[in-house]
Amino acid sequence: MNLWNGFAEGFSSALTPETMIAALVGVILGTMVGVLPGLGPVAAIAILLPITSQFSPLVSIVLLAGVYYGSQYGDSMAAILVNVPSEAPAIVIARDGYPLTKRGRGGAALATAGVGSFIGAVVGIIGIGLVAVPLSQVAIYFRPADYVAIALLGLLLLPMVTGQTAGKALLGVGIGLAVSTFGEDPLNGIPRFTGGSVLLDQGIELVPVAVGMFGMAELISQIIERRGWATPARVRFNELLPTKQEWKRALPAGARGSVLGFLIGGLPGPSLVMASFASHALERRLLNKEEREHIEDGHVQCVAGPKAADDGAVGGNLVPLLTLGIPFTGVTAVLLAGLTMQNLQPGPLFISTSPDIFWGLLASMLIGNVMLLILNVPFVGIWVHLLRVPAGVRTGVLAAFIVLGSYAVRTTILDVVMVFVFGFLGYALRRMRVDRSLVVLGVVLGPFLETALRQSLKLSGGNPLTLVDRPVGIGVVVVLLAVFVGLPIFRRHWNRRHPVVTTATSPTWVSDDRVLTK
Amino acid sequence: LLIFLGVAAAFLATLEFVGFLISSAWFVAAMMLLAGDRKATRIVLTSVIVAAASDYLFVELLGVPLPYGLWSL
């Protein structure tokens, strides 16, 4: 099936009233999650899993995906209007968007961010359609050992792409992998680490882990740190129109950012953050001399580019999930849980066995992004009101939904206990600046990795070299050698010839919710 | 952090006893107080509305059986 036939079939599934409503509800909830710092898309999607499991598979995944890409639109509002990035990718948006607000161009910044998001999302969706089909046709020939090699490659590259030390990345993934071993053995069904508890036989659910790590941990930090922000600036409709000059600067930046974002989005780890930072760095390099002299005043292209990269990366993120069944980020790990709850198994056969779901999802994402453009640009004033909700009310509402959402998965108090346990753990990891999405990734990848590894070892009579005796395994070894041996050698030679100049604002490493500067 | 730990323990302890509706109402109120909100009317109204709305959403609309503790007798 080619791209156009695929989208034609997708629109026939997506243009039903229930799917359209699911997309609308998803993008509204997503925008709310994005606007309000605190919950984040991982926890929001995790809370919604028990609710969406009662819907049809397409409606369920359309709603969950809507929350994901909707949150990417919303996160720039708080960043631009009150200098509070609710998600890590919005940090660079605040860097240029807030100065624009201070000099009365906040409306133009919001409009270019919205249009940039739209361009990025459309490029990302078309990119999925173009890349996913051939990739899944190749992936049909993959064996368990190949999946182990790819998953291990993702895990080994995490310290490099997250910019964290190997120890911190290992700690995050290790906790996740350890949590995934609780409960019945995936191959022989023997209970492990249950302490005789029947409740633990089914293992620790992903929802309390994700909700605790992000939602509850954020609640704890809000209570302890009592973070507040300035009153958001008022934005009038007529202020939303960027000037002709601003459009001329923002649109090419959006196009550049979306392609860059889609490519980076396929990498493991916080690819959305990397995409927006890379695009921001690129746009700042492309500023002309006059703009560079007033770099601290903020520039629309440095808002539109990173926003497009952020949304383009969402598309890139979904490629390994839908074609290989391997999530490389925390959000896609939770989306995978949502798909498996619907008895859908993403992987090489997903597109051929469920074309209505795959193309329906892509078509609904296009529809959802049009909805978001309408919701976020002319109606931006409505969302700004959310930022005026008192901190206490936000905390109270969030607390109720966190505990109820986790209880609803299996209707057991154990899951509520787990939310608090992982909430405290998540808060500790946040303080230690360990990327918490690695824990979620470990929990989801754990059973998959264990099953594939044990199966491939069984098939090879216990020979570990089976992981590297096929083209995929050899490719993985080549990439690892290039990254861990070739790159440091190249860097040393490069640095010797070109001395490094560091600036005060250059990010040194990226956590899941903040960038630390030297 | 210790106060939050105490609130969490108390919430879990009372959950089965008084049910989700009442425990979530006082939990929301406690969270608002911990977040620095000191307006009594706002705290009472928010906690009652949030508890009732979430109970309605989960029990009536989604069919999730929430524990009612003593009130289920």
Side-chain angles (χ1 to χ4, degrees):
Chain A
M1 190 183 292
N2 68 32
L3 189 70
W4 305 115
N5 290 343
F7 272 109
E9 183 179 332
F11 276 110
S12 67
S13 316
L15 286 170
T16 58
E18 58 269 34
T19 317
M20 298 272 281
I21 292 169
L24 183 65
V25 172
V27 298
I28 289 175
L29 288 176
T31 309
M32 283 170 71
V33 167
V35 171
L36 292 174
L39 198 56
V42 179
I45 294 171
I47 289 176
L48 287 170
L49 288 181
I51 300 173
T52 55
S53 65
Q54 303 186 15
F55 305 151
S56 74
L58 182 62
V59 169
S60 160
I61 192 66
V62 163
L63 199 152
L64 296 176
V67 175
Y68 181 26
Y69 59 82
S71 67
Q72 305 310 314
Y73 273 72
D75 67 1
S76 55
M77 279 183 215
I80 290 170
L81 295 176
V82 284
N83 202 22
V84 176
S86 54
E87 292 292 323
I91 291 166
V92 286
I93 310 290
R95 214 174 274 173
D96 275 80
Y98 190 60
L100 281 165
T101 301
K102 283 204 291 189
R103 60 185 179 95
R105 299 304 299 150
L110 285 169
T112 46
V115 173
S117 283
F118 182 75
I119 298 171
V122 171
V123 169
I125 294 162
I126 294 170
I128 301 173
L130 286 171
V131 173
V133 176
L135 187 60
S136 62
Q137 280 165 354
V138 173
I140 288 172
Y141 300 102
F142 285 7
R143 291 184 190 166
D146 298 328
Y147 283 105
V148 175
I150 293 168
L152 284 177
L153 172 75
L155 292 179
L156 288 168
L157 286 181
L158 279 172
M160 173 155 275
V161 293
T162 55
Q164 300 208 317
T165 60
K168 281 181 178 172
L170 202 66
L171 179 68
V173 176
I175 291 172
L177 291 175
V179 168
S180 75
T181 59
F182 281 76
E184 285 176 356
D185 184 314
L187 291 186
N188 56 30
I190 297 169
R192 300 180 300 197
F193 314 121
T194 59
S197 162
V198 183
L199 285 171
L200 273 174
D201 271 0
Q202 291 174 330
I204 297 173
E205 270 287 322
L206 175 70
V207 175
V209 176
V211 174
M213 278 283 160
F214 287 89
M216 188 57 83
E218 198 57 38
L219 205 69
I220 297 170
S221 69
Q222 274 181 14
I223 286 170
I224 291 171
E225 293 160 20
R226 294 263 173 98
R227 293 197 304 269
W229 55 70
T231 311
R234 250 175 224 290
V235 180
R236 288 185 181 83
F237 185 77
N238 56 0
E239 289 172 4
L240 284 167
L241 279 178
T243 60
K244 203 173 169 186
Q245 187 62 25
E246 284 170 334
W247 277 128
K248 272 174 79 176
R249 305 295 285 148
L251 291 176
R256 282 190 293 270
S258 44
V259 176
L260 187 67
F262 179 74
L263 296 174
I264 296 178
L267 296 174
S271 45
L272 269 60
V273 188
M274 290 190 291
S276 62
F277 272 79
S279 169
H280 187 259
L282 175 70
E283 293 309 325
R284 283 213 160 175
R285 261 172 202 269
L286 293 175
L287 290 175
N288 59 36
K289 199 180 165 194
E290 192 191 334
E291 288 168 332
R292 217 171 280 178
E293 280 169 8
H294 303 281
I295 200 160
E296 297 309 323
D297 289 351
H299 300 280
V300 283
Q301 60 268 46
C302 297
V303 173
K307 261 330 282 172
D310 187 11
D311 276 74
V314 170
N317 253 211
L318 292 173
V319 172
L321 173 72
L322 296 173
T323 56
L324 304 175
I326 303 176
F328 276 165
T329 62
V331 184
T332 49
V334 189
L335 282 175
L336 175 65
L339 286 164
T340 47
M341 276 171 104
Q342 294 284 351
N343 293 323
L344 293 168
Q345 191 54 55
L349 297 174
F350 180 65
I351 301 174
S352 52
T353 55
S354 312
D356 53 330
I357 306 283
F358 176 77
W359 292 107
L361 172 66
L362 296 195
S364 83
M365 285 171 74
L366 280 175
I367 298 166
N369 275 287
V370 175
M371 291 174 178
L372 277 167
L373 194 64
I374 298 165
L375 283 171
N376 278 268
V377 181
F379 295 110
V380 69
I382 296 170
W383 301 108
V384 172
H385 283 294
L386 273 180
L387 292 168
R388 296 199 174 96
V389 174
V393 176
R394 281 201 315 268
T395 309
V397 174
L398 199 61
F401 276 92
I402 283 172
V403 288
L404 276 164
S406 348
Y407 178 82
V409 185
R410 295 191 295 186
T411 61
T412 156
I413 306 268
L414 177 76
D415 286 341
V416 184
V417 176
M418 286 298 165
V419 163
F420 285 108
V421 170
F422 284 100
F424 284 106
L425 183 63
Y427 178 67
L429 292 177
R430 191 179 185 280
R431 298 280 304 206
M432 291 161 67
R433 287 159 185 167
V434 173
D435 187 344
R436 290 166 290 165
S437 63
L438 298 182
V439 179
V440 177
L441 208 55
V443 173
V444 176
L445 276 181
F448 163 80
L449 198 59
E450 185 187 351
T451 310
L453 182 64
R454 283 168 64 183
Q455 276 174 346
S456 50
L457 287 176
K458 212 175 219 177
L459 286 170
S460 67
N463 181 11
L465 289 176
T466 187
L467 299 178
V468 289
D469 68 356
R470 283 170 48 81
V472 175
I474 295 166
V476 165
V477 172
V478 170
V479 171
L480 288 176
L481 282 174
V483 168
F484 291 106
V485 182
L487 203 61
I489 294 171
F490 171 76
R491 204 178 278 165
R492 200 176 303 155
H493 280 285
W494 180 267
N495 287 346
R496 216 174 280 164
R497 289 184 186 176
H498 308 85
V500 182
V501 181
T502 51
T503 61
T505 53
S506 61
T508 52
W509 64 267
V510 182
S511 169
D512 53 346
D513 46 11
R514 60 187 58 193
V515 170
L516 301 177
T517 51
K518 263 180 185 164
Chain B
L1 192 63
L2 281 174
I3 298 171
F4 186 87
L5 198 64
V7 170
F11 172 69
L12 290 169
T14 57
L15 201 56
E16 294 257 30
F17 184 60
V18 295
F20 234 118
L21 190 64
I22 293 174
S23 32
S24 60
W26 81 254
F27 182 63
V28 169
M31 287 292 116
M32 289 179 74
L33 275 168
L34 283 176
D37 206 322
R38 292 290 176 269
K39 290 191 174 168
T41 321
R42 188 156 73 196
I43 291 173
V44 173
L45 274 176
T46 308
S47 54
V48 170
I49 291 169
V50 169
S54 48
D55 186 83
Y56 180 76
L57 173 71
F58 280 87
V59 179
E60 301 296 330
L61 298 182
L62 299 170
V64 177
L66 296 179
Y68 279 97
L70 292 172
W71 320 112
S72 59
L73 295 174

